[in-house]
Amino acid sequence: MSRTSHAYSAPDLSALAKNLKRELEARAEPPGHVELLNMLTRAVGYRNYQHFKASRAAEDRLAHPVVVEAEPAPDFRRVELTARCFAGTDVLVRWPGKLNQQQLALWVLWSFLPAGEDMPEKAVNSVLVRHNGISDHVLLRRELVNMGLLTRTRDCRLYRRVEKRPPPEARELIRLVTGWSRRT
């Protein structure tokens, strides 16, 4: 295990020496390693060595903030091409030919499944039948499982939607398709 070095400084060397002398005289026997670390850090104003380390770590984090990268902008062309498969409705009227468009369409179907509850196969089928015009809810259910958006028990009796943050394109497509369903 590697050691992390911590810079130590005392604003007043005389006060440090007096404080250490006082703490050492109060002891019957010499302090151990950790006790000595605690004495040194108390002498400069910390509660103990852990407080010193936590304070220094926070100081480093504030001095070097983590840069959060902006999320990439959605590919609206991909959203547009996949949206055509819904034909202005909340029903998938044709299965896209390209895998990346199939995945976006599956995110939309995922959004129609209830969050946080176990569903029997019939309930999942009923949601998928309601939102697909390709007459193959079995394919859609299987692909949702394969993509990791839906889990099922070993006996395939219970299903559960997996809670994930959709990618930017999927969020845009979900917003678009659910907007269409509100208008009808």
Side-chain angles (χ1 to χ4, degrees):
M1 184 162 146
S2 63
R3 290 186 185 174
T4 304
S5 61
H6 300 285
Y8 178 85
S9 63
D12 183 0
L13 196 56
S14 177
L16 171 68
K18 287 178 185 175
N19 197 332
L20 283 175
K21 181 178 185 263
R22 191 176 325 113
E23 286 206 38
L24 287 170
E25 286 174 347
R27 302 186 60 81
E29 53 190 59
H33 172 77
V34 174
E35 293 170 312
L36 193 53
L37 286 172
N38 286 333
M39 284 180 189
L40 285 168
T41 54
R42 276 194 302 266
V44 291
Y46 295 95
R47 289 187 304 270
N48 53 34
Y49 183 62
Q50 289 297 75
H51 178 223
F52 169 77
K53 282 182 17 182
S55 180
R56 289 300 169 113
E59 183 180 358
D60 288 345
R61 286 191 302 273
L62 291 172
H64 305 92
V66 176
V67 177
V68 177
E69 291 186 29
E71 188 174 83
D75 179 354
F76 287 104
R77 180 66 180 150
R78 187 172 155 212
V79 172
E80 178 186 37
L81 291 171
T82 309
R84 291 178 183 172
C85 297
F86 287 90
T89 67
D90 64 349
V91 175
L92 182 65
V93 294
R94 71 176 175 81
W95 186 237
K98 293 189 175 185
L99 178 63
N100 68 6
Q101 292 174 9
Q102 291 171 1
Q103 291 171 337
L104 280 183
L106 289 169
W107 275 107
V108 173
L109 297 174
W110 167 88
S111 73
F112 293 124
L113 295 168
E117 62 181 67
D118 289 333
M119 299 169 284
E121 185 176 325
K122 280 187 175 187
V124 174
N125 288 345
S126 116
V127 171
L128 295 178
V129 165
R130 157 73 182 90
H131 293 284
N132 92 78
I134 63 173
S135 301
D136 198 352
H137 63 278
V138 176
L139 165 80
L140 299 174
R141 189 182 65 231
R142 183 176 52 247
E143 289 303 315
L144 283 165
V145 171
N146 290 344
M147 198 171 149
L149 298 178
L150 192 63
T151 59
R152 63 181 169 207
T153 57
R154 284 187 160 280
D155 61 3
C156 299
R157 293 175 78 201
L158 290 177
Y159 290 78
R160 179 180 276 269
R161 178 176 120 166
V162 176
E163 297 308 311
K164 295 181 180 183
R165 180 172 171 80
E169 290 86 2
R171 287 196 306 273
E172 285 300 317
L173 186 60
I174 290 167
R175 185 186 56 73
L176 186 65
V177 170
T178 55
W180 290 335
S181 68
R182 287 188 199 117
R183 281 190 278 160
T184 55

